[in-house]
C-alpha cells in the first residue's frame, strides 16, 4: 500500500492495484461481466505502468461508478496519476530549462564572447605584438660616417630587419636613441628610423645629419669601436604597430646590435718607407705607405690624422695620414713622417745593430675642415700600435743611390 505523503485527507481508491486484481469478485461482484472485465482491464493497465491512483474520499464513488459502467476516468485524475507515477528524467528537465530560459543563455553567450574577444584584442594582442618585436633581429649591413664636424656627422646606414613571427605588421617611423652597451642610459645621438613593413626580411635605410647629444658617450663609442673586436650598439625607441584591422598598438623597440670593431687596428704596418736627407717643404723626411685592415662594415671619414712615434718610450717624431677614409677591408694609405734622424741613426748604430728598430705609434689628432674631432682624437690616443721598421735597409738604400728617396 502506497501512503499519500502530500494530502493526509486522501486515500487510495481500491487499495493497491494488486489487491484489486487479486479480488475481482469484490466491489464489482454481481455486476455485468463486461463492466467487471473493463474495470479489471483498466486496473491491470495501471498496474503494468506502475501507477497508483490517488483520489480523495469524495471522488472514490464517482470513479468507482464510472469504472463499473465502463466509462473513462476523469482526465484530471489521469494527469495526477501520470505526475505521480512517471517523473521526468534529467534530459527532459534540461530541455525544459532551455526552452524556458534560452534568452538568458543567449545573453550570457554573447557577453562571454565579447569579453573574450575584447581581452584578445586589447590585452593579448599588444603582448603578442611586443613579443614579435622582441623576437625580431636587426643587423647593420653598412654604416658610413662622413662630413664630420666637432659636434655632428652625416650618417648613411643600411640595416636588415628579420621578422621571425608569422605576423607581418607595419611599423611607423620613429625617433631612436643610439648608445653603447655599457652606457645604455646615455645616448650619444638620435636618428629617425623610417617606417617599415616587417616582412620576413626587410631593409631599412637611414640617410641624415646627426647631432651629437652626449660627447663623452660618443667618445666611448668610438674608443670601443677602435680598440675592440666587437661593440654592442643599442637602438631604442617607441612606435605604432599596425596589423590588419586590429587596433593600432604602441610597442617598445629595443635592439642590441653587435657590430664588428676595428680590433685595435691589429695588422697595422708600414709596408714601405724611405728616408729623406733633405726635408720636403712640409718638413717630412720619411715617406712611406701604411697598411690598415678594417674588418668592420664601417666607412669612416677621419680627416687628417697624425700619430706620435716612440722608440724606447722616447718621442722621435710624428707621422701623418692625409684625408684618411677607412673603408671595409684592406686600406693602403700614403704616410709622411717627420722624425729625429740623428736619434734614429744613433739607436741603430748603438742598440739595434741589426737595423730593426722597434717603434710604438700612438694616435695624436684628427682634423677635418679645420675642426678637431675630439671623439676620434681621444679614441686614437687610447690605442697603441707596435711595429718594427727595417731602418738598416732604408739607410743602405740611401747610401747606395745617394738620393733623398
Amino acid at each position: 500500500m502506497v501512503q499519500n505523503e502530500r494530502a493526509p485527507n486522501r486515500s487510495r481508491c481500491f487499495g493497491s492495484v494488486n489487491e484489486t486484481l487479486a479480488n475481482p469478485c469484490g466491489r464489482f461482484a454481481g455486476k455485468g461481466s463486461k463492466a467487471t472485465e473493463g474495470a479489471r482491464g483498466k486496473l491491470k493497465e495501471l498496474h503494468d505502468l506502475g501507477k497508483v491512483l490517488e483520489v480523495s474520499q469524495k471522488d472514490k464513488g464517482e470513479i468507482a461508478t464510472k469504472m463499473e459502467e465502463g466509462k473513462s476516468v476523469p482526465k484530471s485524475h489521469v494527469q495526477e496519476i501520470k505526475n505521480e507515477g512517471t517523473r521526468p528524467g534529467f534530459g527532459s528537465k534540461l530541455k525544459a530549462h532551455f526552452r524556458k530560459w534560452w534568452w538568458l543563455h543567449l545573453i550570457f553567450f554573447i557577453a562571454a564572447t565579447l569579453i573574450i574577444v575584447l581581452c584578445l584584442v586589447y590585452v593579448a594582442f599588444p603582448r603578442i605584438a611586443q613579443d614579435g618585436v622582441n623576437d625580431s633581429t636587426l643587423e647593420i649591413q653598412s654604416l658610413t660616417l662622413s662630413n664630420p664636424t666637432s659636434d655632428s656627422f652625416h650618417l648613411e646606414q643600411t640595416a636588415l630587419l628579420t621578422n621571425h613571427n608569422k605576423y607581418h605588421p607595419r611599423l611607423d617611423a620613429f625617433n631612436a636613441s643610439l648608445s653603447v652597451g655599457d652606457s645604455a642610459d646615455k645616448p650619444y645621438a638620435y636618428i629617425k628610423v623610417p617606417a617599415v613593413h616587417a616582412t620576413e626580411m626587410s631593409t631599412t635605410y637611414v640617410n641624415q645629419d646627426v647631432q651629437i647629444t652626449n660627447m663623452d658617450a660618443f667618445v666611448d663609442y668610438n674608443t670601443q669601436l677602435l680598440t675592440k673586436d666587437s661593440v654592442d650598439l643599442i637602438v631604442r625607441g617607441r612606435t605604432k604597430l599596425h596589423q590588419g584591422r586590429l587596433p593600432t598598438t604602441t610597442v617598445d623597440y629595443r635592439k642590441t646590435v653587435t657590430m664588428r670593431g676595428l680590433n685595435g687596428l691589429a695588422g697595422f704596418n708600414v709596408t714601405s718607407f724611405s728616408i729623406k736627407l733633405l726635408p720636403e717643404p712640409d718638413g717630412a723626411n720619411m715617406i712611406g705607405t701604411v697598411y690598415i685592415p678594417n674588418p668592420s662594415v664601417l666607412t669612416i671619414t677621419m680627416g687628417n690624422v697624425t700619430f706620435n712615434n716612440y722608440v724606447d718610450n722616447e718621442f722621435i717624431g710624428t707621422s701623418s695620414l692625409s684625408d684618411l677614409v677607412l673603408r671595409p677591408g684592406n686600406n693602403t694609405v700614403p704616410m709622411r713622417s717627420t722624425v729625429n734622424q740623428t736619434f734614429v741613426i744613433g739607436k741603430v748604430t748603438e742598440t739595434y745593430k741589426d737595423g730593426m728598430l722597434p717603434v710604438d705609434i700612438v694616435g695624436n689628432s684628427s682634423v677635418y675642415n679645420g675642426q678637431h674631432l675630439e671623439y676620434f682624437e681621444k679614441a686614437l690616443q687610447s690605442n697603441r700600435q707596435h711595429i718594427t721598421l727595417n731602418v738598416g735597409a732604408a739607410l743602405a738604400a740611401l747610401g747606395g743611390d745617394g738620393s733623398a728617396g
Side-chain angles (χ1 to χ4, degrees):
M1 181 76 71
V2 178
Q3 302 255 334
N4 185 359
E5 298 175 353
R6 294 182 297 176
N9 63 337
R10 303 176 67 185
S11 63
R12 305 208 178 271
C13 178
F14 306 109
S16 69
V17 175
N18 290 331
E19 290 174 357
T20 306
L21 291 175
N23 186 16
C25 297
R27 181 178 296 274
F28 305 119
K31 303 295 180 179
S33 61
K34 185 177 180 180
T36 301
E37 290 299 322
R40 291 181 64 187
K42 182 65 178 177
L43 290 173
K44 181 64 170 64
E45 179 185 345
L46 295 174
H47 175 267
D48 291 342
L49 292 173
K51 300 174 181 177
V52 177
L53 182 63
E54 292 184 359
V55 295
S56 66
Q57 291 288 348
K58 180 181 178 181
D59 294 332
K60 283 183 178 181
E62 180 184 353
I63 295 175
T65 301
K66 290 184 179 295
M67 294 185 71
E68 290 171 357
E69 295 175 354
K71 296 181 180 181
S72 62
V73 178
K75 291 183 178 180
S76 60
H77 299 302
V78 175
Q79 184 63 42
E80 184 179 357
I81 293 168
K82 226 184 240 190
N83 291 341
E84 183 69 16
T86 306
R87 296 184 179 180
F90 175 77
S92 298
K93 290 181 179 180
L94 188 62
K95 289 179 181 178
H97 171 81
F98 277 104
R99 278 196 298 269
K100 182 177 181 180
W101 301 105
W102 65 268
W103 56 272
L104 184 61
H105 287 279
L106 179 61
I107 293 174
F108 175 78
F109 174 77
I110 294 173
T113 302
L114 284 175
I115 291 173
I116 293 172
V117 170
L118 291 175
C119 286
L120 287 174
V121 170
Y122 292 101
V123 178
F125 173 65
R127 292 181 181 178
I128 293 172
Q130 185 63 62
D131 289 342
V133 172
N134 294 342
D135 291 340
S136 66
T137 57
L138 183 67
E139 177 189 355
I140 295 180
Q141 296 182 311
S142 67
L143 190 154
T144 300
L145 191 155
S146 61
N147 196 29
T149 70
S150 59
D151 59 2
S152 68
F153 57 90
H154 186 81
L155 176 68
E156 290 183 68
Q157 175 182 290
T158 301
L160 178 66
L161 176 64
T162 303
N163 178 14
H164 304 286
N165 201 291
K166 63 180 180 179
Y167 302 107
H168 296 158
R170 294 183 181 276
L171 300 177
D172 288 348
F174 65 98
N175 289 323
S177 64
L178 304 178
S179 56
V180 189
D182 52 3
S183 301
D185 58 339
K186 298 177 181 178
Y188 62 78
Y190 292 84
I191 63 173
K192 184 80 170 181
V193 177
V196 61
H197 183 197
T199 56
E200 185 175 348
M201 300 184 75
S202 51
T203 301
T204 63
Y205 181 67
V206 175
N207 185 6
Q208 63 188 71
D209 290 327
V210 178
Q211 191 71 29
I212 300 170
T213 57
N214 187 320
M215 184 59 68
D216 290 339
F218 195 47
V219 168
D220 184 36
Y221 167 72
N222 283 284
T223 300
Q224 292 192 41
L225 194 63
L226 177 65
T227 60
K228 292 185 176 183
D229 178 63
S230 63
V231 179
D232 287 338
L233 176 65
I234 297 178
V235 183
R236 291 194 302 183
R238 300 195 78 190
T239 185
K240 300 290 185 181
L241 182 146
H242 309 272
Q243 176 61 49
R245 295 185 178 181
L246 291 170
T248 299
T249 186
T250 300
V251 293
D252 292 319
Y253 191 89
R254 175 172 178 147
K255 290 298 165 189
T256 299
V257 185
T258 300
M259 303 176 58
R260 286 291 304 273
L262 298 177
N263 196 25
L265 299 179
F268 178 96
N269 195 24
V270 176
T271 56
S272 64
F273 72 97
S274 61
I275 298 174
K276 303 290 184 179
L277 291 178
L278 298 176
E280 296 196 350
D282 61 353
N285 57 7
M286 190 174 81
I287 310 298
T289 302
V290 297
Y291 165 77
I292 307 175
N294 178 4
S296 74
V297 296
L298 282 74
T299 299
I300 307 174
T301 299
M302 303 185 71
N304 298 325
V305 177
T306 62
F307 297 89
N308 292 336
N309 304 317
Y310 300 86
V311 174
D312 295 338
N313 292 323
E314 292 193 47
F315 178 74
I316 63 169
T318 60
S319 298
S320 63
L321 309 177
S322 299
D323 300 322
L324 177 62
V325 178
L326 282 181
R327 295 181 173 84
N330 300 326
N331 295 266
T332 301
V333 184
M335 177 194 71
R336 301 178 69 82
S337 303
T338 301
V339 299
N340 186 337
Q341 291 184 348
T342 302
F343 179 86
V344 169
I345 293 173
K347 281 290 183 179
V348 171
T349 57
E350 296 176 7
T351 306
Y352 302 100
K353 296 182 180 181
D354 60 354
M356 305 301 293
L357 186 69
V359 179
D360 290 326
I361 301 175
V362 181
N364 179 23
S365 66
S366 176
V367 179
Y368 185 82
N369 284 342
Q371 297 185 58
H372 279 269
L373 308 178
E374 176 187 354
Y375 42 88
F376 288 154
E377 290 181 344
K378 290 188 175 180
L380 290 167
Q381 291 166 9
S382 69
N383 192 56
R384 194 178 190 95
Q385 293 292 317
H386 181 81
I387 63 173
T388 299
L389 295 179
N390 191 346
V391 176
L395 290 173
L398 177 63
D401 59 20
S403 70

